[in-house]
Amino acid sequence: MKNYSLLILHVMSGNITFTMIKPCAVRSNFTGSILKMINEKGFRIKAMKMTWFTRERAEAFYGIHVGKPFFEDLVSFMSSGPIVAAILEKENAINDFRELIGNTNPAKAADGTIRKLFAESFTANAIHGADSDENAIREGSFFFSEMEQF
Ligand code: IDP
Ligand code: MG
């Protein structure tokens, strides 16, 4: 595979995460405020685009959640409008980003977290953050080619 060694380096160093500003937050014009918080926390934007999931692409992206009770709502919601997808770089990226976004359930998210500030509901919880180094690489590759990562 092309650039396989680079990919392994990223996985091992754990300095990459993948995020999406979800349709609810883009619709509400929170994109700028959220990106500001991400930058101020020390993340560097390695790749970024505004795009729109088709239903099929959303189903494929969230394949690990097939069969769960929230899957249908999640796929409908995620394909309901444009998102902003990005690959972010920082030491300890996965954990630090999960801390910045807060609990999946915004009712449980800590004060000052992105989900606490901007989420509308459990499903429409403003932002996605990858949960592991492996998933960050997989999810980033879902949206960005090598040439789109800087
Ligand atoms: P995460 O986004 O915090 O990693 P996951 O468990 O991976 O949480 O779930 C993916 C997304 O599915 C969540 O961000 C949320 O939008 C939605 N979701 C997860 N669990 C529930 C639920 O119990 N009710 C409604 N939506 C849920
Ligand atoms: Mg997850």
Side-chain angles (χ1 to χ4, degrees):
M1 186 197 289
K2 208 173 119 218
N3 275 330
Y4 188 65
S5 56
L6 193 64
L7 191 147
I8 294 289
L9 186 72
H10 282 324
V11 170
M12 289 178 67
S13 59
N15 62 350
I16 295 294
T17 191
F18 172 78
T19 187
M20 297 179 289
I21 301 174
K22 296 188 178 184
C24 56
V26 172
R27 253 192 303 273
S28 298
N29 222 12
F30 294 145
T31 301
S33 303
I34 291 172
L35 290 176
K36 184 164 188 279
M37 288 179 70
I38 290 170
N39 274 151
E40 284 176 350
K41 182 83 179 187
F43 290 90
R44 191 182 73 80
I45 296 169
K46 217 176 134 52
M48 187 165 72
K49 68 171 72 161
M50 186 180 255
T51 183
W52 193 324
F53 266 129
T54 59
R55 164 165 281 272
E56 291 68 28
R57 294 260 301 162
E59 284 173 357
F61 183 90
Y62 282 111
I64 44 166
H65 294 308
V66 171
K68 292 185 186 168
F70 59 86
F71 182 73
E72 269 310 311
D73 282 351
L74 177 63
V75 164
S76 297
F77 164 64
M78 287 302 294
S79 55
S80 69
I83 61 163
V84 174
I87 299 174
L88 305 172
E89 185 176 57
K90 181 185 184 299
E91 230 176 78
N92 200 29
I94 296 288
N95 290 336
D96 285 3
F97 196 73
R98 300 280 312 189
E99 193 179 304
L100 176 65
I101 70 177
N103 195 285
T104 307
N105 180 354
K108 294 185 184 164
D111 284 347
T113 60
I114 292 174
R115 281 169 168 167
K116 176 73 171 196
L117 288 165
F118 300 112
E120 288 177 10
S121 68
F122 206 150
T123 300
N125 59 359
I127 192 158
H128 168 82
D131 63 4
S132 66
D133 295 334
E134 292 76 7
N135 282 337
I137 299 290
R138 186 183 65 78
E139 293 171 0
S141 313
F142 193 91
F143 286 96
F144 300 100
S145 71
E146 289 278 341
M147 281 182 65
E148 294 172 309
Q149 300 182 33
F150 306 100

